């Protein structure tokens, strides 16, 4: 568990002093920047981090999971429609799970209403209908079901942070 021994809690919150008392010296870093852009730059500089394009959105923003189900727009649209009509079904389709660097993890089944074999409901109800025509691939978080797709936010982030 060497990776665990190198972890550092990064916080801008008021509980920093409490965390420092609960952990080993050097395991908490308090970010001083006031907004996300300056905080990111500060953390990159302090830890000498090199961020590459493949690192962007490589984990779920909600639960930090590194694995995603991939699906075509037609598949995602059909699952969304089934969820909207409460069409609970035992009909299953197989989906591949990858990390965002496109390394295969496993194949899992998803019912026609968007429930994975592990009991995670894909959050397709949050995807606007217009996105199905504009998007080549959708990713659903393996652990929490949050849906992702490439949009202008990715390009904007790369430009804003010089990536």
């Amino acid at each position: 568990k060497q990776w665990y021994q190198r972890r550092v809690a990064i916080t801008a919150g008021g509980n920093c002093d409490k965390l420092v008392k609960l952990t080993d010296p050097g395991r908490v870093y308090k970010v001083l920047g006031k907004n996300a852009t300056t905080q990111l730059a500060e953390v990159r500089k302090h830890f000498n981090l090199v961020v590459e394009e493949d690192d962007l959105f490589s984990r779920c923003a909600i639960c930090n999971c590194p694995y995603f189900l991939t699906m075509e727009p037609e598949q995602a649209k059909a699952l969304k429609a089934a969820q909207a009509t409460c069409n609970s079904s035992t009909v299953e389709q197989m989906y591949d799970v990858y990390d965002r660097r496109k390394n295969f993890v496993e194949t899992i089944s998803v019912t026609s209403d968007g429930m994975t074999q592990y009991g995670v409901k894909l959050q397709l109800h949050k995807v606007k209908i217009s996105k199905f025509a504009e998007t080549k691939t959708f990713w659903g978080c393996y652990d929490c079901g949050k849906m992702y797709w490439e949009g202008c936010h990715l390009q904007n982030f790369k430009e804003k942070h010089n990536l």
Side-chain angles (χ1 to χ4, degrees):
K1 293 192 174 185
Q2 288 180 324
W3 62 267
Y4 182 77
Q5 294 169 353
R6 295 188 313 256
R7 283 189 169 188
V8 174
I10 300 173
T11 182
N15 290 328
C16 184
D17 294 332
K18 290 180 187 176
L19 282 173
V20 168
K21 291 177 185 175
L22 295 171
T23 61
D24 294 332
R27 296 291 172 220
V28 177
Y29 177 76
K30 184 173 185 176
V31 181
L32 302 175
K34 299 298 181 204
N35 62 52
T37 301
T38 58
Q39 290 173 347
L40 178 60
E42 178 185 339
V43 169
R44 285 174 64 185
K45 183 178 179 181
H46 179 82
F47 291 102
N48 197 28
L49 298 177
V50 176
V51 179
E52 297 175 356
E53 189 170 337
D54 281 349
D55 298 320
L56 300 180
F57 303 105
S58 61
R59 291 183 171 267
C60 176
I62 302 302
C63 70
N64 204 34
C65 176
Y67 306 120
F68 300 88
L69 289 78
T70 60
M71 61 184 70
E72 300 296 317
E74 300 80 27
Q75 297 169 312
K77 188 175 182 180
L79 287 174
K80 179 182 175 79
Q83 285 180 342
T85 60
C86 300
N87 182 15
S88 183
S89 172
T90 57
V91 176
E92 296 180 351
Q93 192 164 352
M94 304 306 287
Y95 291 89
D96 290 336
V97 176
Y98 294 89
D99 65 18
R100 284 299 293 261
R101 291 191 172 101
K102 300 185 178 35
N103 296 311
F104 177 76
V105 176
E106 69 174 321
T107 300
I108 68 169
S109 63
V110 178
T111 61
S112 60
D113 65 343
M115 185 71 72
T116 73
Q117 70 188 45
Y118 301 115
V120 174
K121 185 85 161 188
L122 297 174
Q123 299 174 20
L124 287 153
H125 63 282
K126 296 184 178 182
V127 180
K128 293 180 182 177
I129 294 293
S130 63
K131 295 299 174 196
F132 297 114
E134 302 168 359
T135 305
K136 294 179 184 175
T137 305
F138 287 87
W139 295 276
C141 177
Y142 182 83
D143 279 350
C144 75
K146 178 160 177 60
M147 296 302 299
Y148 295 91
W149 58 94
E150 284 192 24
C152 60
H153 59 279
L154 179 63
Q155 186 60 37
N156 292 342
F157 186 92
K158 290 192 294 189
E159 289 172 7
K160 187 175 186 177
H161 299 286
N162 301 317
L163 297 173

